[in-house]
Structures are given as C-alpha cells and as structure tokens.
Amino acid sequence: MSFLNIAQSRYTTKKYNSSRKIDDDTIEKLKEIVRLSPSSINSQPWKFTFVADEKIKSRLSEFSFGNREKVLNASHVVVFSVVKDAETFENIKLAHLPEYTAAYYNRVLKPTGDEQIMTWLTSQVYLSLGFFLSATASLGIDSTPMEGIDTKEYDAVLQADDYKTLFAVAIGYRDEEDENQPTLTPKFRLEKDDVIRSI
Ligand SMILES: Cc1cc2nc3c(=O)[nH]c(=O)nc-3n(C[C@H](O)[C@H](O)[C@H](O)COP(=O)(O)O)c2cc1C
C-alpha cells in the first residue's frame, strides 16, 4: 500500500474485535519500528510499554474514561511514557549519547529551564506516536491513540519508576461494524487551502 493510501485508510478505531489478537511476529516488528523513531538530537526520552496481559489491560481500562471498551477489547495497549524529569534524562539518557549531543543539550536546552526541557522531551514522544500510527496501518493493524486516560493511575499500575505516562495506543483489529471506519464515516479534514501554503 502506498503511503497516500495508508493516510486515506487509517482511522481511529472505536470498536475492536476482542477475539482477534495480533501475532507475536507483528508485535516484534512494531517494537522495532517504534524503537527506530526519530527524535531531536537523537534524545530518545521515551519508554514504550506493550501490554498484552488481560489482567493488566483490565486494570488500565478502569482508568481510561470513554476509552474503556477499546482498552479491554483491543489486542494490545501500548503506553507511551516520557522520562520523568530533566535530571533523570541527563542521568539515564544523555550519558549514552555522543559528546556533541550532550554539548548541544547543555549549551542550548539546559539554560531554558526544567519546564521547557520537559516540553521539548514530551514533543519527542509525540513524534514517535505519528511514526507508530503510520507503521501500524502499514502492517494492517487498527489503532486508537488515547490521551483520554488517567495518566497518574496508569503510572500506578505500570510502575515504570523513571518514566511518566503521556498517552496510550490501543492496537488490534476493528469490529466489522465499527461506525468510525472511513467506508462508513468519511474522514473529516480541513481543506488543502486552509492548511497548506505554497510560496
Ligand atoms: C494525541 C491524540 C490523542 C487522541 N485521544 C483520543 C482518545 O482519547 N480517544 C479517542 O477515541 N480518540 C482519540 N484521538 C483520535 C482523534 O480524535 C482522531 O485522530 C481525529 O479525530 C482524526 O480522526 P482519524 O484518526 O480517524 O483520522 C486522539 C488522537 C491523537 C493524535
């Protein structure tokens, strides 16, 4: 499938077929793809937690507001987290990066302060979301990006000490009757002239 076809056909799945699971090979591919996501100065300030365990999925579903059924019925839930603060980033990530990268961080980013650094780190994780959503569609997997979750409660369930949850993505296969699929509900986007400028 061309990338244009992927963009036209992928959509936010609202109803999953709970009896269809993603096979292990495909999950391994997705893990490798998301690991390869690009990030500014190759900072990689993330952790991706792939949840297949039904008991954990069930616990997470309790803290997923309107996304509860998606979390329960999807094959897997992937939780995207960012390193919890600037100091932890410097200790556990920056140490692995080349000297010139650390030098750039220390010269340009560190002086902006902790809040600004966290905004920058968080942006990198959102970039990996875009990469991941396209990848899932290219493999014929349906997905739901979800900010509508209680991130603090997710942290309590997942206990990834140095990381905090930003959002999650349910992945699996759609229920045939999912009303949100583009064949039933055409995709809504602003017109090209509203969002693209050519000069
Ligand atoms: C960061 C992010 C968070 C989102 N959170 C939710 C969510 O919690 N629940 C949900 O059903 N859809 C969620 N969406 C889906 C968007 O509403 C959807 O992408 C948008 O309406 C465009 O529709 P499409 O993905 O079907 O093309 C989210 C999307 C993004 C990118």
PDB file of all heavy atoms in Angstrom, residues 10 27 29-35 37 48 50 76-80 125-139 141-144 167-171:
ATOM      1  N   ARG A  10      -6.212   4.763   7.104  1.00  0.00           N
ATOM      2  CA  ARG A  10      -6.083   4.574   8.555  1.00  0.00           C
ATOM      3  C   ARG A  10      -7.087   5.482   9.254  1.00  0.00           C
ATOM      4  O   ARG A  10      -7.469   6.523   8.737  1.00  0.00           O
ATOM      5  CB  ARG A  10      -4.654   4.816   9.061  1.00  0.00           C
ATOM      6  CG  ARG A  10      -4.154   6.235   9.052  1.00  0.00           C
ATOM      7  CD  ARG A  10      -3.366   6.622  10.300  1.00  0.00           C
ATOM      8  NE  ARG A  10      -4.168   6.653  11.494  1.00  0.00           N
ATOM      9  CZ  ARG A  10      -5.017   7.651  11.796  1.00  0.00           C
ATOM     10  NH1 ARG A  10      -5.201   8.674  11.001  1.00  0.00           N
ATOM     11  NH2 ARG A  10      -5.699   7.592  12.929  1.00  0.00           N
ATOM     12  N   ILE A  27       3.981  -8.009  16.466  1.00  0.00           N
ATOM     13  CA  ILE A  27       4.261  -7.190  17.662  1.00  0.00           C
ATOM     14  C   ILE A  27       5.761  -6.900  17.744  1.00  0.00           C
ATOM     15  O   ILE A  27       6.175  -5.762  18.034  1.00  0.00           O
ATOM     16  CB  ILE A  27       3.763  -7.914  18.950  1.00  0.00           C
ATOM     17  CG1 ILE A  27       2.227  -7.914  18.995  1.00  0.00           C
ATOM     18  CG2 ILE A  27       4.349  -7.292  20.214  1.00  0.00           C
ATOM     19  CD1 ILE A  27       1.571  -6.535  19.148  1.00  0.00           C
ATOM     20  N   LYS A  29       7.810  -6.673  15.258  1.00  0.00           N
ATOM     21  CA  LYS A  29       8.094  -5.651  14.221  1.00  0.00           C
ATOM     22  C   LYS A  29       7.730  -4.263  14.743  1.00  0.00           C
ATOM     23  O   LYS A  29       8.490  -3.299  14.567  1.00  0.00           O
ATOM     24  CB  LYS A  29       7.264  -5.932  12.962  1.00  0.00           C
ATOM     25  CG  LYS A  29       7.947  -6.839  11.987  1.00  0.00           C
ATOM     26  CD  LYS A  29       7.165  -6.900  10.668  1.00  0.00           C
ATOM     27  CE  LYS A  29       7.555  -8.170   9.944  1.00  0.00           C
ATOM     28  NZ  LYS A  29       6.491  -8.820   9.227  1.00  0.00           N
ATOM     29  N   LEU A  30       6.570  -4.158  15.372  1.00  0.00           N
ATOM     30  CA  LEU A  30       6.136  -2.844  15.876  1.00  0.00           C
ATOM     31  C   LEU A  30       7.082  -2.322  16.957  1.00  0.00           C
ATOM     32  O   LEU A  30       7.377  -1.126  17.023  1.00  0.00           O
ATOM     33  CB  LEU A  30       4.710  -2.934  16.429  1.00  0.00           C
ATOM     34  CG  LEU A  30       3.607  -2.977  15.371  1.00  0.00           C
ATOM     35  CD1 LEU A  30       2.250  -3.252  16.020  1.00  0.00           C
ATOM     36  CD2 LEU A  30       3.560  -1.650  14.597  1.00  0.00           C
ATOM     37  N   LYS A  31       7.580  -3.231  17.788  1.00  0.00           N
ATOM     38  CA  LYS A  31       8.535  -2.816  18.835  1.00  0.00           C
ATOM     39  C   LYS A  31       9.797  -2.248  18.193  1.00  0.00           C
ATOM     40  O   LYS A  31      10.333  -1.231  18.629  1.00  0.00           O
ATOM     41  CB  LYS A  31       8.892  -4.009  19.746  1.00  0.00           C
ATOM     42  CG  LYS A  31       7.758  -4.413  20.666  1.00  0.00           C
ATOM     43  CD  LYS A  31       8.136  -5.647  21.474  1.00  0.00           C
ATOM     44  CE  LYS A  31       6.998  -6.046  22.410  1.00  0.00           C
ATOM     45  NZ  LYS A  31       7.215  -7.354  23.041  1.00  0.00           N
ATOM     46  N   GLU A  32      10.252  -2.941  17.149  1.00  0.00           N
ATOM     47  CA  GLU A  32      11.472  -2.491  16.476  1.00  0.00           C
ATOM     48  C   GLU A  32      11.239  -1.153  15.752  1.00  0.00           C
ATOM     49  O   GLU A  32      12.084  -0.256  15.812  1.00  0.00           O
ATOM     50  CB  GLU A  32      11.944  -3.578  15.504  1.00  0.00           C
ATOM     51  CG  GLU A  32      13.241  -3.288  14.769  1.00  0.00           C
ATOM     52  CD  GLU A  32      14.452  -3.036  15.682  1.00  0.00           C
ATOM     53  OE1 GLU A  32      14.335  -3.115  16.916  1.00  0.00           O
ATOM     54  OE2 GLU A  32      15.527  -2.721  15.139  1.00  0.00           O
ATOM     55  N   ILE A  33      10.090  -1.019  15.120  1.00  0.00           N
ATOM     56  CA  ILE A  33       9.785   0.229  14.398  1.00  0.00           C
ATOM     57  C   ILE A  33       9.732   1.401  15.381  1.00  0.00           C
ATOM     58  O   ILE A  33      10.337   2.456  15.135  1.00  0.00           O
ATOM     59  CB  ILE A  33       8.455   0.109  13.612  1.00  0.00           C
ATOM     60  CG1 ILE A  33       8.641  -0.851  12.429  1.00  0.00           C
ATOM     61  CG2 ILE A  33       7.987   1.478  13.130  1.00  0.00           C
ATOM     62  CD1 ILE A  33       7.344  -1.276  11.747  1.00  0.00           C
ATOM     63  N   VAL A  34       9.039   1.227  16.486  1.00  0.00           N
ATOM     64  CA  VAL A  34       8.894   2.367  17.409  1.00  0.00           C
ATOM     65  C   VAL A  34      10.244   2.701  18.058  1.00  0.00           C
ATOM     66  O   VAL A  34      10.561   3.868  18.319  1.00  0.00           O
ATOM     67  CB  VAL A  34       7.753   2.114  18.435  1.00  0.00           C
ATOM     68  CG1 VAL A  34       8.164   1.191  19.566  1.00  0.00           C
ATOM     69  CG2 VAL A  34       7.216   3.442  18.966  1.00  0.00           C
ATOM     70  N   ARG A  35      11.063   1.677  18.256  1.00  0.00           N
ATOM     71  CA  ARG A  35      12.421   1.920  18.778  1.00  0.00           C
ATOM     72  C   ARG A  35      13.230   2.788  17.812  1.00  0.00           C
ATOM     73  O   ARG A  35      14.100   3.556  18.220  1.00  0.00           O
ATOM     74  CB  ARG A  35      13.134   0.579  18.990  1.00  0.00           C
ATOM     75  CG  ARG A  35      14.501   0.685  19.634  1.00  0.00           C
ATOM     76  CD  ARG A  35      15.141  -0.688  19.765  1.00  0.00           C
ATOM     77  NE  ARG A  35      15.706  -1.177  18.514  1.00  0.00           N
ATOM     78  CZ  ARG A  35      16.926  -0.895  18.067  1.00  0.00           C
ATOM     79  NH1 ARG A  35      17.723  -0.138  18.780  1.00  0.00           N
ATOM     80  NH2 ARG A  35      17.352  -1.378  16.913  1.00  0.00           N
ATOM     81  N   SER A  37      12.137   5.226  16.011  1.00  0.00           N
ATOM     82  CA  SER A  37      11.551   6.562  15.805  1.00  0.00           C
ATOM     83  C   SER A  37      12.632   7.635  15.884  1.00  0.00           C
ATOM     84  O   SER A  37      13.555   7.540  16.698  1.00  0.00           O
ATOM     85  CB  SER A  37      10.516   6.869  16.894  1.00  0.00           C
ATOM     86  OG  SER A  37       9.450   5.978  16.830  1.00  0.00           O
ATOM     87  N   PHE A  48       8.319   2.585  25.845  1.00  0.00           N
ATOM     88  CA  PHE A  48       7.082   2.089  25.232  1.00  0.00           C
ATOM     89  C   PHE A  48       6.719   0.773  25.912  1.00  0.00           C
ATOM     90  O   PHE A  48       7.479  -0.187  25.822  1.00  0.00           O
ATOM     91  CB  PHE A  48       7.293   1.846  23.729  1.00  0.00           C
ATOM     92  CG  PHE A  48       7.899   3.034  23.003  1.00  0.00           C
ATOM     93  CD1 PHE A  48       9.228   3.005  22.579  1.00  0.00           C
ATOM     94  CD2 PHE A  48       7.155   4.178  22.761  1.00  0.00           C
ATOM     95  CE1 PHE A  48       9.801   4.081  21.922  1.00  0.00           C
ATOM     96  CE2 PHE A  48       7.721   5.267  22.107  1.00  0.00           C
ATOM     97  CZ  PHE A  48       9.047   5.226  21.680  1.00  0.00           C
ATOM     98  N   PHE A  50       4.408  -2.361  26.067  1.00  0.00           N
ATOM     99  CA  PHE A  50       3.426  -3.156  25.304  1.00  0.00           C
ATOM    100  C   PHE A  50       2.675  -4.056  26.280  1.00  0.00           C
ATOM    101  O   PHE A  50       3.276  -4.951  26.878  1.00  0.00           O
ATOM    102  CB  PHE A  50       4.133  -4.006  24.242  1.00  0.00           C
ATOM    103  CG  PHE A  50       4.523  -3.225  23.006  1.00  0.00           C
ATOM    104  CD1 PHE A  50       5.494  -2.238  23.057  1.00  0.00           C
ATOM    105  CD2 PHE A  50       3.906  -3.478  21.790  1.00  0.00           C
ATOM    106  CE1 PHE A  50       5.854  -1.510  21.919  1.00  0.00           C
ATOM    107  CE2 PHE A  50       4.251  -2.765  20.639  1.00  0.00           C
ATOM    108  CZ  PHE A  50       5.229  -1.773  20.705  1.00  0.00           C
ATOM    109  N   HIS A  76      -3.732  -5.358  22.102  1.00  0.00           N
ATOM    110  CA  HIS A  76      -2.678  -4.846  22.983  1.00  0.00           C
ATOM    111  C   HIS A  76      -2.924  -3.362  23.257  1.00  0.00           C
ATOM    112  O   HIS A  76      -3.582  -2.692  22.463  1.00  0.00           O
ATOM    113  CB  HIS A  76      -1.298  -4.936  22.315  1.00  0.00           C
ATOM    114  CG  HIS A  76      -0.794  -6.330  22.096  1.00  0.00           C
ATOM    115  ND1 HIS A  76      -1.407  -7.232  21.254  1.00  0.00           N
ATOM    116  CD2 HIS A  76       0.297  -6.968  22.597  1.00  0.00           C
ATOM    117  CE1 HIS A  76      -0.734  -8.371  21.256  1.00  0.00           C
ATOM    118  NE2 HIS A  76       0.315  -8.243  22.068  1.00  0.00           N
ATOM    119  N   VAL A  77      -2.336  -2.890  24.346  1.00  0.00           N
ATOM    120  CA  VAL A  77      -2.301  -1.452  24.601  1.00  0.00           C
ATOM    121  C   VAL A  77      -0.830  -1.074  24.738  1.00  0.00           C
ATOM    122  O   VAL A  77      -0.080  -1.735  25.467  1.00  0.00           O
ATOM    123  CB  VAL A  77      -3.075  -1.088  25.887  1.00  0.00           C
ATOM    124  CG1 VAL A  77      -2.885   0.388  26.240  1.00  0.00           C
ATOM    125  CG2 VAL A  77      -4.559  -1.387  25.701  1.00  0.00           C
ATOM    126  N   VAL A  78      -0.439  -0.049  23.991  1.00  0.00           N
ATOM    127  CA  VAL A  78       0.954   0.403  24.077  1.00  0.00           C
ATOM    128  C   VAL A  78       0.951   1.742  24.814  1.00  0.00           C
ATOM    129  O   VAL A  78       0.281   2.693  24.381  1.00  0.00           O
ATOM    130  CB  VAL A  78       1.587   0.563  22.674  1.00  0.00           C
ATOM    131  CG1 VAL A  78       3.064   0.922  22.807  1.00  0.00           C
ATOM    132  CG2 VAL A  78       1.400  -0.710  21.861  1.00  0.00           C
ATOM    133  N   VAL A  79       1.667   1.791  25.927  1.00  0.00           N
ATOM    134  CA  VAL A  79       1.692   3.010  26.738  1.00  0.00           C
ATOM    135  C   VAL A  79       2.982   3.765  26.434  1.00  0.00           C
ATOM    136  O   VAL A  79       4.082   3.207  26.519  1.00  0.00           O
ATOM    137  CB  VAL A  79       1.583   2.675  28.241  1.00  0.00           C
ATOM    138  CG1 VAL A  79       1.577   3.959  29.069  1.00  0.00           C
ATOM    139  CG2 VAL A  79       0.318   1.848  28.508  1.00  0.00           C
ATOM    140  N   PHE A  80       2.826   5.029  26.062  1.00  0.00           N
ATOM    141  CA  PHE A  80       3.963   5.879  25.701  1.00  0.00           C
ATOM    142  C   PHE A  80       4.302   6.763  26.895  1.00  0.00           C
ATOM    143  O   PHE A  80       3.450   7.530  27.357  1.00  0.00           O
ATOM    144  CB  PHE A  80       3.607   6.768  24.498  1.00  0.00           C
ATOM    145  CG  PHE A  80       3.554   6.055  23.179  1.00  0.00           C
ATOM    146  CD1 PHE A  80       2.644   5.036  22.944  1.00  0.00           C
ATOM    147  CD2 PHE A  80       4.411   6.417  22.146  1.00  0.00           C
ATOM    148  CE1 PHE A  80       2.588   4.382  21.718  1.00  0.00           C
ATOM    149  CE2 PHE A  80       4.366   5.769  20.914  1.00  0.00           C
ATOM    150  CZ  PHE A  80       3.449   4.747  20.699  1.00  0.00           C
ATOM    151  N   VAL A 125       8.247  12.418  22.193  1.00  0.00           N
ATOM    152  CA  VAL A 125       7.432  11.205  22.339  1.00  0.00           C
ATOM    153  C   VAL A 125       6.207  11.282  21.410  1.00  0.00           C
ATOM    154  O   VAL A 125       5.804  10.286  20.810  1.00  0.00           O
ATOM    155  CB  VAL A 125       7.019  10.970  23.811  1.00  0.00           C
ATOM    156  CG1 VAL A 125       6.297   9.638  23.954  1.00  0.00           C
ATOM    157  CG2 VAL A 125       8.241  11.009  24.727  1.00  0.00           C
ATOM    158  N   TYR A 126       5.639  12.485  21.270  1.00  0.00           N
ATOM    159  CA  TYR A 126       4.503  12.649  20.352  1.00  0.00           C
ATOM    160  C   TYR A 126       4.926  12.362  18.910  1.00  0.00           C
ATOM    161  O   TYR A 126       4.142  11.835  18.119  1.00  0.00           O
ATOM    162  CB  TYR A 126       3.892  14.055  20.489  1.00  0.00           C
ATOM    163  CG  TYR A 126       2.836  14.090  21.569  1.00  0.00           C
ATOM    164  CD1 TYR A 126       3.177  14.334  22.888  1.00  0.00           C
ATOM    165  CD2 TYR A 126       1.504  13.826  21.269  1.00  0.00           C
ATOM    166  CE1 TYR A 126       2.217  14.339  23.886  1.00  0.00           C
ATOM    167  CE2 TYR A 126       0.537  13.821  22.258  1.00  0.00           C
ATOM    168  CZ  TYR A 126       0.895  14.077  23.566  1.00  0.00           C
ATOM    169  OH  TYR A 126      -0.065  14.062  24.551  1.00  0.00           O
ATOM    170  N   LEU A 127       6.154  12.718  18.600  1.00  0.00           N
ATOM    171  CA  LEU A 127       6.647  12.425  17.250  1.00  0.00           C
ATOM    172  C   LEU A 127       6.642  10.902  17.016  1.00  0.00           C
ATOM    173  O   LEU A 127       6.253  10.425  15.945  1.00  0.00           O
ATOM    174  CB  LEU A 127       8.059  12.999  17.103  1.00  0.00           C
ATOM    175  CG  LEU A 127       8.759  12.853  15.771  1.00  0.00           C
ATOM    176  CD1 LEU A 127       7.926  13.487  14.663  1.00  0.00           C
ATOM    177  CD2 LEU A 127      10.126  13.537  15.831  1.00  0.00           C
ATOM    178  N   SER A 128       7.037  10.155  18.040  1.00  0.00           N
ATOM    179  CA  SER A 128       7.048   8.688  17.880  1.00  0.00           C
ATOM    180  C   SER A 128       5.632   8.149  17.712  1.00  0.00           C
ATOM    181  O   SER A 128       5.424   7.101  17.098  1.00  0.00           O
ATOM    182  CB  SER A 128       7.761   8.003  19.061  1.00  0.00           C
ATOM    183  OG  SER A 128       6.949   8.005  20.215  1.00  0.00           O
ATOM    184  N   LEU A 129       4.646   8.872  18.241  1.00  0.00           N
ATOM    185  CA  LEU A 129       3.245   8.449  18.053  1.00  0.00           C
ATOM    186  C   LEU A 129       2.884   8.481  16.572  1.00  0.00           C
ATOM    187  O   LEU A 129       2.276   7.531  16.046  1.00  0.00           O
ATOM    188  CB  LEU A 129       2.297   9.356  18.854  1.00  0.00           C
ATOM    189  CG  LEU A 129       0.806   9.217  18.537  1.00  0.00           C
ATOM    190  CD1 LEU A 129       0.286   7.828  18.923  1.00  0.00           C
ATOM    191  CD2 LEU A 129      -0.015  10.291  19.249  1.00  0.00           C
ATOM    192  N   GLY A 130       3.249   9.573  15.888  1.00  0.00           N
ATOM    193  CA  GLY A 130       2.945   9.674  14.458  1.00  0.00           C
ATOM    194  C   GLY A 130       3.578   8.538  13.678  1.00  0.00           C
ATOM    195  O   GLY A 130       2.952   7.915  12.814  1.00  0.00           O
ATOM    196  N   PHE A 131       4.827   8.277  14.018  1.00  0.00           N
ATOM    197  CA  PHE A 131       5.580   7.195  13.371  1.00  0.00           C
ATOM    198  C   PHE A 131       4.859   5.856  13.594  1.00  0.00           C
ATOM    199  O   PHE A 131       4.645   5.069  12.671  1.00  0.00           O
ATOM    200  CB  PHE A 131       6.970   7.173  14.021  1.00  0.00           C
ATOM    201  CG  PHE A 131       8.075   6.608  13.195  1.00  0.00           C
ATOM    202  CD1 PHE A 131       8.423   7.168  11.975  1.00  0.00           C
ATOM    203  CD2 PHE A 131       8.820   5.531  13.661  1.00  0.00           C
ATOM    204  CE1 PHE A 131       9.485   6.656  11.231  1.00  0.00           C
ATOM    205  CE2 PHE A 131       9.875   5.017  12.926  1.00  0.00           C
ATOM    206  CZ  PHE A 131      10.206   5.582  11.707  1.00  0.00           C
ATOM    207  N   PHE A 132       4.454   5.639  14.843  1.00  0.00           N
ATOM    208  CA  PHE A 132       3.818   4.375  15.235  1.00  0.00           C
ATOM    209  C   PHE A 132       2.462   4.188  14.553  1.00  0.00           C
ATOM    210  O   PHE A 132       2.143   3.087  14.075  1.00  0.00           O
ATOM    211  CB  PHE A 132       3.670   4.354  16.759  1.00  0.00           C
ATOM    212  CG  PHE A 132       3.170   3.051  17.318  1.00  0.00           C
ATOM    213  CD1 PHE A 132       3.989   1.935  17.396  1.00  0.00           C
ATOM    214  CD2 PHE A 132       1.863   2.936  17.786  1.00  0.00           C
ATOM    215  CE1 PHE A 132       3.529   0.733  17.918  1.00  0.00           C
ATOM    216  CE2 PHE A 132       1.392   1.744  18.310  1.00  0.00           C
ATOM    217  CZ  PHE A 132       2.227   0.643  18.378  1.00  0.00           C
ATOM    218  N   LEU A 133       1.660   5.256  14.501  1.00  0.00           N
ATOM    219  CA  LEU A 133       0.323   5.127  13.892  1.00  0.00           C
ATOM    220  C   LEU A 133       0.435   4.768  12.410  1.00  0.00           C
ATOM    221  O   LEU A 133      -0.337   3.958  11.895  1.00  0.00           O
ATOM    222  CB  LEU A 133      -0.475   6.427  14.060  1.00  0.00           C
ATOM    223  CG  LEU A 133      -0.902   6.796  15.482  1.00  0.00           C
ATOM    224  CD1 LEU A 133      -1.654   8.128  15.477  1.00  0.00           C
ATOM    225  CD2 LEU A 133      -1.744   5.707  16.129  1.00  0.00           C
ATOM    226  N   SER A 134       1.403   5.366  11.729  1.00  0.00           N
ATOM    227  CA  SER A 134       1.594   5.042  10.310  1.00  0.00           C
ATOM    228  C   SER A 134       2.075   3.607  10.163  1.00  0.00           C
ATOM    229  O   SER A 134       1.644   2.879   9.265  1.00  0.00           O
ATOM    230  CB  SER A 134       2.623   5.994   9.688  1.00  0.00           C
ATOM    231  OG  SER A 134       2.199   7.317   9.844  1.00  0.00           O
ATOM    232  N   ALA A 135       2.984   3.210  11.052  1.00  0.00           N
ATOM    233  CA  ALA A 135       3.532   1.844  10.983  1.00  0.00           C
ATOM    234  C   ALA A 135       2.441   0.804  11.193  1.00  0.00           C
ATOM    235  O   ALA A 135       2.370  -0.189  10.453  1.00  0.00           O
ATOM    236  CB  ALA A 135       4.627   1.670  12.029  1.00  0.00           C
ATOM    237  N   THR A 136       1.581   1.025  12.191  1.00  0.00           N
ATOM    238  CA  THR A 136       0.524   0.035  12.451  1.00  0.00           C
ATOM    239  C   THR A 136      -0.343  -0.119  11.203  1.00  0.00           C
ATOM    240  O   THR A 136      -0.603  -1.243  10.759  1.00  0.00           O
ATOM    241  CB  THR A 136      -0.372   0.441  13.651  1.00  0.00           C
ATOM    242  OG1 THR A 136      -0.836   1.768  13.465  1.00  0.00           O
ATOM    243  CG2 THR A 136       0.355   0.346  14.960  1.00  0.00           C
ATOM    244  N   ALA A 137      -0.730   1.018  10.613  1.00  0.00           N
ATOM    245  CA  ALA A 137      -1.595   0.947   9.422  1.00  0.00           C
ATOM    246  C   ALA A 137      -0.894   0.209   8.289  1.00  0.00           C
ATOM    247  O   ALA A 137      -1.516  -0.565   7.566  1.00  0.00           O
ATOM    248  CB  ALA A 137      -1.995   2.353   8.995  1.00  0.00           C
ATOM    249  N   SER A 138       0.416   0.435   8.144  1.00  0.00           N
ATOM    250  CA  SER A 138       1.144  -0.218   7.047  1.00  0.00           C
ATOM    251  C   SER A 138       1.176  -1.738   7.235  1.00  0.00           C
ATOM    252  O   SER A 138       1.340  -2.487   6.277  1.00  0.00           O
ATOM    253  CB  SER A 138       2.573   0.334   6.943  1.00  0.00           C
ATOM    254  OG  SER A 138       3.390  -0.243   7.931  1.00  0.00           O
ATOM    255  N   LEU A 139       1.009  -2.186   8.478  1.00  0.00           N
ATOM    256  CA  LEU A 139       1.006  -3.630   8.757  1.00  0.00           C
ATOM    257  C   LEU A 139      -0.418  -4.201   8.827  1.00  0.00           C
ATOM    258  O   LEU A 139      -0.617  -5.345   9.245  1.00  0.00           O
ATOM    259  CB  LEU A 139       1.738  -3.896  10.084  1.00  0.00           C
ATOM    260  CG  LEU A 139       3.250  -3.598  10.091  1.00  0.00           C
ATOM    261  CD1 LEU A 139       3.811  -3.647  11.513  1.00  0.00           C
ATOM    262  CD2 LEU A 139       3.993  -4.582   9.202  1.00  0.00           C
ATOM    263  N   ILE A 141      -2.788  -3.168  10.821  1.00  0.00           N
ATOM    264  CA  ILE A 141      -3.276  -3.166  12.211  1.00  0.00           C
ATOM    265  C   ILE A 141      -4.085  -1.897  12.451  1.00  0.00           C
ATOM    266  O   ILE A 141      -3.685  -0.814  12.028  1.00  0.00           O
ATOM    267  CB  ILE A 141      -2.078  -3.168  13.200  1.00  0.00           C
ATOM    268  CG1 ILE A 141      -1.109  -4.324  12.917  1.00  0.00           C
ATOM    269  CG2 ILE A 141      -2.543  -3.184  14.651  1.00  0.00           C
ATOM    270  CD1 ILE A 141      -1.673  -5.673  13.150  1.00  0.00           C
ATOM    271  N   ASP A 142      -5.203  -2.020  13.148  1.00  0.00           N
ATOM    272  CA  ASP A 142      -6.010  -0.856  13.510  1.00  0.00           C
ATOM    273  C   ASP A 142      -5.529  -0.292  14.845  1.00  0.00           C
ATOM    274  O   ASP A 142      -4.952  -1.024  15.679  1.00  0.00           O
ATOM    275  CB  ASP A 142      -7.485  -1.263  13.617  1.00  0.00           C
ATOM    276  CG  ASP A 142      -8.058  -1.626  12.250  1.00  0.00           C
ATOM    277  OD1 ASP A 142      -7.816  -0.856  11.296  1.00  0.00           O
ATOM    278  OD2 ASP A 142      -8.716  -2.677  12.136  1.00  0.00           O
ATOM    279  N   SER A 143      -5.794   1.003  15.042  1.00  0.00           N
ATOM    280  CA  SER A 143      -5.251   1.637  16.259  1.00  0.00           C
ATOM    281  C   SER A 143      -6.138   2.780  16.754  1.00  0.00           C
ATOM    282  O   SER A 143      -6.937   3.335  15.997  1.00  0.00           O
ATOM    283  CB  SER A 143      -3.850   2.176  15.970  1.00  0.00           C
ATOM    284  OG  SER A 143      -3.915   3.203  15.004  1.00  0.00           O
ATOM    285  N   THR A 144      -5.929   3.103  18.031  1.00  0.00           N
ATOM    286  CA  THR A 144      -6.609   4.243  18.659  1.00  0.00           C
ATOM    287  C   THR A 144      -5.609   4.989  19.532  1.00  0.00           C
ATOM    288  O   THR A 144      -5.208   4.484  20.591  1.00  0.00           O
ATOM    289  CB  THR A 144      -7.760   3.769  19.597  1.00  0.00           C
ATOM    290  OG1 THR A 144      -8.528   2.775  18.935  1.00  0.00           O
ATOM    291  CG2 THR A 144      -8.638   4.933  20.025  1.00  0.00           C
ATOM    292  N   PHE A 167       0.363   9.142  27.093  1.00  0.00           N
ATOM    293  CA  PHE A 167      -0.840   8.698  26.379  1.00  0.00           C
ATOM    294  C   PHE A 167      -0.652   7.217  26.072  1.00  0.00           C
ATOM    295  O   PHE A 167       0.428   6.648  26.340  1.00  0.00           O
ATOM    296  CB  PHE A 167      -1.056   9.518  25.082  1.00  0.00           C
ATOM    297  CG  PHE A 167       0.155   9.544  24.185  1.00  0.00           C
ATOM    298  CD1 PHE A 167       0.386   8.544  23.270  1.00  0.00           C
ATOM    299  CD2 PHE A 167       1.071  10.591  24.281  1.00  0.00           C
ATOM    300  CE1 PHE A 167       1.523   8.564  22.460  1.00  0.00           C
ATOM    301  CE2 PHE A 167       2.209  10.614  23.476  1.00  0.00           C
ATOM    302  CZ  PHE A 167       2.433   9.604  22.564  1.00  0.00           C
ATOM    303  N   ALA A 168      -1.691   6.598  25.495  1.00  0.00           N
ATOM    304  CA  ALA A 168      -1.585   5.171  25.137  1.00  0.00           C
ATOM    305  C   ALA A 168      -2.179   4.971  23.746  1.00  0.00           C
ATOM    306  O   ALA A 168      -2.894   5.836  23.230  1.00  0.00           O
ATOM    307  CB  ALA A 168      -2.314   4.317  26.172  1.00  0.00           C
ATOM    308  N   VAL A 169      -1.854   3.845  23.148  1.00  0.00           N
ATOM    309  CA  VAL A 169      -2.444   3.496  21.846  1.00  0.00           C
ATOM    310  C   VAL A 169      -2.980   2.062  21.942  1.00  0.00           C
ATOM    311  O   VAL A 169      -2.215   1.135  22.257  1.00  0.00           O
ATOM    312  CB  VAL A 169      -1.402   3.586  20.700  1.00  0.00           C
ATOM    313  CG1 VAL A 169      -2.069   3.241  19.362  1.00  0.00           C
ATOM    314  CG2 VAL A 169      -0.772   4.971  20.624  1.00  0.00           C
ATOM    315  N   ALA A 170      -4.278   1.919  21.707  1.00  0.00           N
ATOM    316  CA  ALA A 170      -4.857   0.573  21.613  1.00  0.00           C
ATOM    317  C   ALA A 170      -4.586   0.080  20.193  1.00  0.00           C
ATOM    318  O   ALA A 170      -4.698   0.852  19.231  1.00  0.00           O
ATOM    319  CB  ALA A 170      -6.358   0.635  21.872  1.00  0.00           C
ATOM    320  N   ILE A 171      -4.191  -1.180  20.055  1.00  0.00           N
ATOM    321  CA  ILE A 171      -3.966  -1.746  18.720  1.00  0.00           C
ATOM    322  C   ILE A 171      -4.656  -3.113  18.623  1.00  0.00           C
ATOM    323  O   ILE A 171      -4.764  -3.833  19.613  1.00  0.00           O
ATOM    324  CB  ILE A 171      -2.455  -1.866  18.363  1.00  0.00           C
ATOM    325  CG1 ILE A 171      -1.681  -2.637  19.432  1.00  0.00           C
ATOM    326  CG2 ILE A 171      -1.839  -0.488  18.143  1.00  0.00           C
ATOM    327  CD1 ILE A 171      -0.201  -2.886  19.049  1.00  0.00           C
TER     328      ILE A 171
END
